[in-house]
């Protein structure tokens, strides 16, 4: 068999593979393994954070696809060497084995044998090709990952292609009707719409990249390179003429049963794609993005393949961070409404234990709501403590306002039962509930740490009003997609702003809504979820009267330390009397700049002078 025949056989094998995705029974079975409603809610929340409360179907479909990608990355497991199935110890590759009938049933033609480093027993690792089987095992390397993820994409109706890179990688493309083009998605890396990831980030020397779908096959190498002449010199398996004829022949066979109308639509799309590739059309200006090396797989394995890149921490960073709108008015509403509840707690009738019990009761209500179906959220909660009922009744007007800040309505009956239901579009509540839960958890912890409950307010930095909100943010850099600049202002612990090069100095600027002039009286910073070495240590805060053209100093801090994760610290502006329509934080140093290049911050809250810290 010559090279062209081997090439043809390989491509046709992948065509047969993608045909497996179309089986209705397999799709129905696999769909049950996906938390569909959870991903739908996350998709709508991600759009709401961009100010899109009533997104189009195309926007929803696009956002759901990205959430499917992120979920898949968390639910699938990369396997370099499987753990020993006998003792759980580490293993080392020994040899290839003969497949068993039970393995062949699911396309496990290749079987790797690993010897245990402890008990010496052998563990089999069949490389299954059956996508339905992979939704059960949820493990493998890029072949299994891309195979299974592309199957999931087809389950949810996305036009999808399995992308074969002959230099040994596989990923997915889906047609985005929102973008009007095919979009790159790599499930192993949870990276999307970054086609230069491999050439620029991994330093791959690409040769042939082939897109395979039920509608045909086509060469898409040009979409993944900015060095076509170099790539062309490496395409020496078969001639370009033979390759073109081969792909056209296979595509013709794939489309032989299609209607003339569908054929015409596909040919029109093919022509547009050809034109886009010929002129180098891409989703980004590659000069503005620093792309990471490979993150999936063992570090030594990645090094052996020369795919680790220059950034071993692995980030999809963006040095050209755009202006982003802060959708955080709900955060301010929640903080203000929470103040009404908390201001009643330092009362002689409320002991520390009762105050915590009341807040835990409210936390339980919100937790149950968070777990319920987001489109039909409703709860009926009964107090377990007869002693607490009078306190709950006294606090209920404030509680009703607190829940109302999350677009919820509520009622308290004579038996101490609280009924809660949606008062507005479900997405408003989905956006707000994580903020509420984080606020409750912080305050409960703070009260519990206070020895003298009468002085509890000294422990509660969140008891401030007039939080500035709904401005726009610009930063020196950000981490995509999980460390965007606006994450510093969304009121949620689980998110953060991360600046990939921030340890050497960085900045983030907040422009006030409608250029309103504000005086900054205080601000709060919260440490992020991990990596204490990335905490800010030295910084200055500046204000501008002209939207950022000139600046004046408001506050300066040095040698500041965060003692724990999610620690919130308050700072009062020393330079008072300045009105500004923009504020800038210039972070000058991190806690340990020798061990990291990054800065990260969990949250930033800005307060105007009418805030009332309890001192």
């Amino acid at each position: 068999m010559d090279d062209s025949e081997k090439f043809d056989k390989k491509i046709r094998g992948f065509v047969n593979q993608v045909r497996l995705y179309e089986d209705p029974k397999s799709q129905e079975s696999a769909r049950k393994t996906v938390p569909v409603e959870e991903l739908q809610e996350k998709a709508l929340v991600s759009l709401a954070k961009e100010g899109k409360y009533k997104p189009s179907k195309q926007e929803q479909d696009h956002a759901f696809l990205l959430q499917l990608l992120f979920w898949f990355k968390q639910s699938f497991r990369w396997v370099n060497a499987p753990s020993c199935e006998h003792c759980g110890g580490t293993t080392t590759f020994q040899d290839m084995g003969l497949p068993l009938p039970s393995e062949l049933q699911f396309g496990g033609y290749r079987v790797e044998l690993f010897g245990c480093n402890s008990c010496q027993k052998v563990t089999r690792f069949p490389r299954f090709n059956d996508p339905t089987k992979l939704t059960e095992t949820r493990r493998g390397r890029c072949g299994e990952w891309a195979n299974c993820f592309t199957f999931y994409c087809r389950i949810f109706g996305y036009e999808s292609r399995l992308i074969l890179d002959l230099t040994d990688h596989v990923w997915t493309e889906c047609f985005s009707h929102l973008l009007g083009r095919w979009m790159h998605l790599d499930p192993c890396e949870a990276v999307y719409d970054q086609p230069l990831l491999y050439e620029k980030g991994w330093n791959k020397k690409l040769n042939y990249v082939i897109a395979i779908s039920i509608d045909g096959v086509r060469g898409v190498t040009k979409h993944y390179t900015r060095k076509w002449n170099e790539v062309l010199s490496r395409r020496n398996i078969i001639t370009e003429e033979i390759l073109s004829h081969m792909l056209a022949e296979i595509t013709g066979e794939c489309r032989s049963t299609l209607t003339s109308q569908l054929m015409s639509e596909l040919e029109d799309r093919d022509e547009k794609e050809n034109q886009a590739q010929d002129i180098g059309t891409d989703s980004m200006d590659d000069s503005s993005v620093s792309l990471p090396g490979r993150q999936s797989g063992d570090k030594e394995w990645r090094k052996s393949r020369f795919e680790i890149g220059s950034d071993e921490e692995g980030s999809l960073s963006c040095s050209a961070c755009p202006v982003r709108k802060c959708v955080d008015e709900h955060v301010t509403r929640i903080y203000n409404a929470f103040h009404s509840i908390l201001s009643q707690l330092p009362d002689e009738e409320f002991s520390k234990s009762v105050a915590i019990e009341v807040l835990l009761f409210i936390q339980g209500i919100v937790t149950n709501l968070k777990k319920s179906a987001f489109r039909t959220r409703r709860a009926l909660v009964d107090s377990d403590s007869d002693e607490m009922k009078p306190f709950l009744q006294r606090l209920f007007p404030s509680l009703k306002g607190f829940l109302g800040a999350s677009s919820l309505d509520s009622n308290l009956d004579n038996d101490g039962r609280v009924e809660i239901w949606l008062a507005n579009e479900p997405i408003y509540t989905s956006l707000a509930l994580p903020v509420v839960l984080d606020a409750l958890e912080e305050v409960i912890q703070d009260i519990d740490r206070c020895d003298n409950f009468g002085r509890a307010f000294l422990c509660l930095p969140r008891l401030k009003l007039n939080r500035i909100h709904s401005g726009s943010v610009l930063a020196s850099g950000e981490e995509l997609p999980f460390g965007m600049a606006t994450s510093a202002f969304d009121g949620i612990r689980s998110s953060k702003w991360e600046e990939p090069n921030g340890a050497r100095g960085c900045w983030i600027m907040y422009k006030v809504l409608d250029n309103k002039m504000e005086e900054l009286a205080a601000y709060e910073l919260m440490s992020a979820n991990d990596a204490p070495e990335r905490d800010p240590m030295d910084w200055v805060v500046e204000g501008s009267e002209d939207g950022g053209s000139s600046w004046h100093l408001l506050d300066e801090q040095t040698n500041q330390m965060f003692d724990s994760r999610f620690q919130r610290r308050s700072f009062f502006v020393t330079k008072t009397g300045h009105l500004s329509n923009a504020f800038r934080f210039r972070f000058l140093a991190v806690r340990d700049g020798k061990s990291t290049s990054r800065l990260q911050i969990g949250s930033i809250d800005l307060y105007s002078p009418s805030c009332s810290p309890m001192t």
Side-chain angles (χ1 to χ4, degrees):
M1 185 181 296
D2 62 21
D3 288 341
S4 63
E5 290 176 320
K6 292 178 182 177
F7 203 109
D8 183 88
K9 182 178 179 181
K10 188 178 188 71
I11 300 301
R12 289 180 183 277
F14 277 93
V15 170
N16 291 333
Q17 182 67 42
V18 300
R19 285 174 176 158
L20 295 177
Y21 304 155
E22 306 306 309
D23 178 60
K25 290 185 178 179
S26 297
Q27 288 190 0
E28 181 181 359
S29 172
R31 186 185 178 94
K32 295 176 182 177
T33 65
V34 181
V36 178
E37 185 168 273
E38 176 186 331
L39 300 189
Q40 289 173 340
E41 182 180 12
K42 287 183 176 180
L44 291 172
V45 166
S46 71
L47 291 167
K49 286 184 177 181
E50 299 174 7
K52 299 175 182 176
Y53 291 101
K54 294 184 179 180
S56 66
K57 185 180 185 305
Q58 288 185 354
E59 289 172 326
Q60 292 183 56
D61 289 344
H62 185 85
F64 181 86
L65 177 59
L66 299 186
Q67 293 302 323
L68 183 67
L69 174 71
F70 302 149
W71 165 81
F72 187 84
K73 171 67 174 177
Q74 297 299 317
S75 63
F76 220 76
R77 183 165 63 91
W78 182 275
V79 176
N80 277 103
S83 299
C84 175
E85 60 186 15
H86 303 284
C87 74
T90 60
T91 63
T92 302
F93 176 76
Q94 289 185 339
D95 202 352
M96 300 299 293
L98 294 175
L100 303 174
S102 59
E103 295 164 339
L104 289 172
Q105 180 183 356
F106 301 107
Y109 303 107
R110 293 179 62 241
V111 179
E112 299 170 358
L113 303 179
F114 291 82
C116 181
N117 298 324
S118 298
C119 71
Q120 311 303 316
K121 292 185 178 179
V122 173
T123 293
R124 301 172 65 85
F125 180 43
R127 305 295 301 277
F128 292 120
N129 284 326
D130 186 287
T132 307
K133 182 66 174 179
L134 292 175
T135 64
E136 299 174 6
T137 62
R138 298 194 182 196
R139 66 175 194 164
R141 302 191 197 113
C142 63
E144 288 90 348
W145 282 61
N147 186 7
C148 190
F149 180 70
T150 310
F151 177 43
Y152 274 128
C153 292
R154 288 298 301 137
I155 288 171
F156 291 99
Y158 296 97
E159 298 175 76
S160 307
R161 307 195 294 205
L162 190 63
I163 308 300
L164 171 64
D165 159 27
L166 261 64
T167 62
D168 192 24
H169 191 45
V170 195
W171 60 88
T172 305
E173 283 184 353
C174 288
F175 192 84
S176 169
H177 290 278
L178 180 67
L179 302 177
R181 57 175 170 79
W182 289 96
M183 182 172 70
H184 152 255
L185 301 118
D186 192 316
C188 299
E189 310 291 292
V191 171
Y192 63 93
D193 212 17
Q194 299 292 345
L196 298 185
L197 174 68
Y198 313 107
E199 182 176 81
K200 188 175 181 182
W202 297 16
N203 297 318
K204 259 184 172 290
K205 307 300 181 184
L206 299 171
N207 52 17
Y208 300 91
V209 182
I210 310 295
I212 301 150
S213 73
I214 57 171
D215 297 326
V217 297
R218 60 181 291 110
V220 293
T221 314
K222 287 183 178 180
H223 186 52
Y224 291 91
T225 182
R226 286 294 177 269
K227 302 175 182 178
W228 174 242
N229 289 332
E230 289 185 23
V231 171
L232 198 58
S233 69
R234 295 192 289 267
R235 290 163 66 96
N236 50 26
I237 299 178
I238 57 177
T239 67
E240 296 300 306
E241 182 179 2
I242 292 176
L243 175 63
S244 178
H245 176 75
M246 178 187 302
L247 298 182
E249 181 180 15
I250 297 174
T251 298
E253 294 171 7
C254 292
R255 298 179 179 180
S256 61
T257 59
L258 302 181
T259 65
S260 57
Q261 179 180 351
L262 184 54
M263 280 282 290
S264 177
E265 292 174 359
L266 291 173
E267 289 170 357
D268 181 60
R269 182 185 290 179
D270 290 345
E271 181 58 31
K272 289 179 179 178
E273 186 174 4
N274 289 337
Q275 293 174 2
Q277 289 192 35
D278 288 340
I279 64 175
T281 298
D282 225 323
S283 59
M284 63 181 182
D285 175 5
D286 58 282
S287 65
S288 68
V289 176
S290 173
L291 294 168
R294 186 172 193 154
Q295 298 308 297
S296 50
D298 178 79
K299 188 173 183 178
E300 293 305 316
W301 177 76
R302 288 180 280 139
K303 281 184 175 180
S304 71
R305 296 165 61 94
F306 303 102
E307 293 177 348
I308 201 161
S310 59
D311 180 9
E312 293 192 10
E313 293 192 67
S315 64
L316 188 61
S317 59
C318 179
S319 56
C321 173
V323 176
R324 298 190 186 277
K325 170 99 174 140
C326 284
V327 180
D328 65 334
E329 184 179 359
H330 63 286
V331 180
T332 299
R333 288 199 310 268
I334 290 166
Y335 287 6
N336 290 347
F338 203 7
H339 181 274
S340 178
I341 295 176
L342 296 176
S343 62
Q344 299 179 57
L345 295 184
D347 185 292
E348 60 183 17
E349 294 186 34
F350 282 91
S351 66
K352 176 179 175 178
S353 60
V354 170
I356 291 177
E357 187 178 358
V358 169
L359 292 174
L360 286 172
F361 178 72
I362 297 172
Q363 185 184 53
I365 293 174
V366 179
T367 300
N368 288 336
L369 284 166
K370 180 74 168 57
K371 293 178 180 178
S372 61
F374 79 98
R375 288 192 176 90
T376 58
R377 278 199 169 100
R378 198 175 188 92
L380 180 63
V381 188
D382 195 359
S383 170
D384 295 328
S385 170
D386 291 334
E387 295 180 357
M388 196 186 73
K389 287 180 181 179
F391 297 112
L392 183 61
Q393 289 173 342
R394 176 177 165 182
L395 285 174
F396 184 73
S398 296
L399 174 59
K400 186 178 180 70
F402 183 47
L403 294 171
S406 300
S407 298
L408 293 163
D409 206 349
S410 56
N411 179 63
L412 176 67
D413 65 21
N414 294 330
D415 295 323
R417 291 177 299 188
V418 180
E419 184 179 10
I420 307 166
W421 61 93
L422 291 171
N424 208 322
E425 290 293 326
I427 197 58
Y428 290 100
T429 302
S430 296
L431 198 62
L433 288 183
V435 180
V436 173
L437 285 172
D438 284 352
L440 281 163
E441 184 172 351
E442 285 186 35
V443 170
I444 291 169
Q445 290 175 349
D446 288 338
I447 292 178
D448 192 45
R449 281 195 292 263
C450 289
D451 295 329
N452 185 340
F453 182 56
R455 292 175 54 80
F457 282 137
L458 292 175
C459 306
L460 303 181
R462 176 156 287 171
L463 285 183
K464 295 184 177 74
L465 298 174
N466 276 31
R467 176 183 178 274
I468 300 171
H469 61 83
S470 301
S472 58
V473 176
L474 181 64
S476 55
E478 61 183 4
E479 178 85 5
L480 297 176
F482 300 117
M484 294 171 58
T486 48
S487 296
F489 301 91
D490 64 8
I492 302 174
R493 279 186 173 191
S494 59
S495 66
K496 61 185 175 183
W497 169 51
E498 188 167 354
E499 222 286 18
N501 301 305
R504 295 188 290 269
C506 62
W507 54 267
I508 187 168
M509 181 171 67
Y510 184 96
K511 287 191 174 184
V512 182
L513 177 66
D514 297 332
N515 285 317
K516 182 182 177 183
M517 303 300 289
E518 294 274 14
E519 181 181 353
L520 185 66
Y523 61 93
E524 292 177 347
L525 300 182
M526 185 177 72
S527 58
N529 64 315
D530 62 1
E533 66 274 11
R534 302 176 186 173
D535 289 344
M537 185 175 69
D538 301 341
W539 64 84
V540 297
V541 184
E542 300 166 313
S544 174
E545 300 174 357
D546 50 22
S549 296
S550 59
W551 298 93
H552 51 265
L553 180 67
L554 295 176
D555 189 46
E556 185 173 8
Q557 300 290 336
T558 58
N559 295 317
Q560 296 295 330
M561 293 289 176
F562 291 85
D563 298 325
S564 59
R565 300 303 85 205
F566 306 123
Q567 181 186 5
R568 187 179 294 275
R569 298 190 58 196
S570 299
F571 300 90
F572 295 90
V573 172
T574 55
K575 309 289 185 180
T576 60
H578 291 284
L579 290 176
S580 307
N581 57 13
F583 302 101
R584 180 172 68 181
F585 286 77
R586 288 196 293 117
F587 294 103
L588 307 177
V590 297
R591 185 168 181 166
D592 186 1
K594 293 182 180 180
S595 64
T596 182
S597 64
R598 299 167 176 269
L599 175 139
Q600 64 183 27
I601 191 77
S603 71
I604 301 173
D605 290 301
L606 309 174
Y607 295 97
S608 64
S610 51
C611 66
S612 55
M614 306 302 291
T615 58

